[in-house]
Amino acid sequence: MRSIWNGAISFGLVSIPIKLVNATENRSISFRQIHTEDGGRIRYRKVCELDGEEVSSEEIGKAYEEADGTMIQITDEDLAQLPLPTAKTIEIVAFVPASQIDPLQIDTAYYLSANGVPAAKPYTLLREALKRSDRVAIAKFALRGRERLGMLRVVDDVIAMHGLLWPDEIRSPEGVAPDTSVTVRDAELDLADALMDTLGEVDIETLHDDYREAVEQMIAAKAEGAEVAAPKEEKPGGQVIDLMAALESSVRAAREARGEGEPEASVHELPGRKKTAARAAPKESGGKKSTAKSSGTAKKAAPARKSTSKTAASGTKAADKKTTAKKSTTKKASPRKRAS
């Protein structure tokens, strides 16, 4: 890989000669501007607005424009005379936990390559120190005419540097959040958690640019003179009215896509949050309560039936006693009839 900057890492009194190499590349498909009538290229020419003449690159310099439009010319010699200690040095100023770096600050990534055999030992020393400390190095460096902020960390066996935006270059998010007050229910959060669990993790290496592939296929088809079929128009999604239904459908679709089949009817309760469905359970099981009440009434009614049976039995016994008394009276009266 071609280096874009040569200098050194200043690690206290230790100096490590390094080369700066781009760690990323742009894979986007670029287009040329053409004249649609004849296909001719459209090119830009740098023209002086005072005399209307085209200017070559050698004749172009720098200037700072003031508020009233006045141009203050700045030469490369003027910039070279500025006291800039980081012009050829990546100066490490601190070591901090990576969690202290706001991802909004992270900019372009570079690889730092040891420049020459003598640089191998101090380069390895810094790399291993970063590994063992589990921290990142904050540094200042100059590139393309301005001083920048950087973060050094270890990637495999290489020291990588991320350009960082200065803190005052990060805009405040004021006015971006929704203005209206919205209440999110626990049941909705449970379904959102279930959806995140279902989508799970992904191997970043398996992700690719579908749009770029479609553009490449379209270009290849047009180059061969084939007709490009128009894609099917997809109906725009409507406004989400029932958030719970949308979340449940999303969970179902995600599980089907992962080959997990139909999702279970209930969402498992995640730790640290009480499930709303549990609170709603008494309302849903109203039938069970009424059944329990009915069974309770039946149980209460059962003793009444027993007491009725006891009353009937006692009545039968009393009737038997009366019958027995009548019989004994008849028996006693029979001798009198004989006497008469």
Side-chain angles (χ1 to χ4, degrees):
M1 291 185 284
R2 186 175 63 88
S3 63
I4 61 172
W5 184 89
N6 291 345
I9 300 175
S10 175
F11 179 33
L13 297 178
V14 178
S15 181
I16 311 170
I18 57 98
K19 295 179 180 180
L20 194 68
V21 179
N22 279 321
T24 61
E25 57 183 338
N26 188 356
R27 294 292 185 101
S28 299
I29 297 175
S30 58
F31 298 99
R32 302 292 187 186
Q33 289 186 330
I34 62 168
H35 188 196
T36 55
E37 290 186 4
D38 54 18
R41 280 279 306 276
I42 302 297
R43 297 182 183 273
Y44 291 98
R45 294 180 178 179
K46 297 178 179 180
V47 178
C48 176
E49 63 180 16
L50 295 180
D51 56 21
E53 297 292 330
E54 185 175 353
V55 182
S56 64
S57 299
E58 292 77 13
E59 299 177 279
I60 298 176
K62 302 182 185 70
Y64 176 80
E65 183 178 6
E66 292 190 328
D68 60 356
T70 304
M71 296 292 181
I72 300 176
Q73 188 172 353
I74 305 296
T75 65
D76 291 337
E77 290 74 16
D78 294 333
L79 296 174
Q81 292 175 3
L82 294 176
L84 186 59
T86 58
K88 284 293 181 180
T89 303
I90 299 174
E91 182 184 356
I92 296 177
V93 296
F95 292 88
V96 300
S99 59
Q100 289 189 12
I101 306 301
D102 189 340
L104 286 174
Q105 288 185 256
I106 298 178
D107 199 5
T108 310
Y110 307 94
Y111 289 138
L112 303 182
S113 171
N115 191 3
V117 176
K121 181 65 178 288
Y123 182 95
T124 305
L125 171 66
L126 177 59
R127 183 191 67 196
E128 296 304 314
L130 286 171
K131 281 184 180 180
R132 190 166 71 171
S133 68
D134 198 22
R135 288 181 290 178
V136 297
I138 302 301
K140 294 168 69 176
F141 67 103
L143 183 65
R144 298 187 178 97
R146 56 170 294 200
E147 189 172 51
R148 302 167 185 260
L149 196 62
M151 176 186 72
L152 276 64
R153 69 184 185 96
V154 178
V155 177
D156 295 335
D157 286 332
V158 175
I159 299 175
M161 181 174 69
H162 296 271
L164 298 178
L165 299 175
W166 295 99
D168 59 357
E169 293 178 317
I170 305 297
R171 291 180 174 179
S172 170
E174 183 179 357
V176 179
D179 294 333
T180 57
S181 178
V182 178
T183 301
V184 179
R185 295 179 296 166
D186 284 349
E188 293 168 338
L189 285 172
D190 288 340
L191 278 173
D193 287 337
L195 178 58
M196 288 190 290
D197 289 343
T198 304
L199 291 175
E201 299 179 356
V202 66
D203 182 5
I204 299 296
E205 299 293 334
T206 63
L207 300 180
H208 58 279
D209 190 345
D210 295 326
Y211 179 78
R212 189 184 73 198
E213 289 184 359
V215 172
E216 290 173 346
Q217 292 173 5
M218 179 265 294
I219 293 173
K222 298 198 81 169
E224 295 174 359
E227 293 185 2
V228 181
K232 295 181 180 179
E233 292 185 3
E234 296 183 2
K235 295 181 180 180
Q239 184 179 2
V240 178
I241 298 176
D242 190 343
L243 184 58
M244 290 290 291
L247 287 170
E248 289 172 353
S249 299
S250 300
V251 172
R252 187 180 302 106
R255 287 180 174 172
E256 288 175 357
R258 293 170 67 90
E260 296 181 7
E262 290 294 327
E264 297 178 2
S266 60
V267 181
H268 66 280
E269 185 175 353
L270 297 174
R273 182 181 295 128
K274 294 182 179 179
K275 194 166 181 176
T276 306
R279 299 176 186 172
K283 295 182 180 179
E284 295 174 0
S285 58
K288 293 181 180 180
K289 276 190 174 183
S290 59
T291 307
K293 287 180 180 179
S294 301
S295 59
T297 307
K299 288 179 181 179
K300 289 179 180 178
R305 290 177 186 173
K306 288 182 180 180
S307 60
T308 306
S309 301
K310 287 180 180 180
T311 307
S314 58
T316 306
K317 288 181 180 181
D320 291 342
K321 287 182 180 180
K322 288 181 179 180
T323 306
T324 306
K326 285 181 180 180
K327 285 182 180 180
S328 59
T329 306
T330 306
K331 286 181 181 181
K332 289 178 180 178
S334 57
R336 294 180 181 177
K337 288 181 179 179
R338 290 174 187 173
S340 59

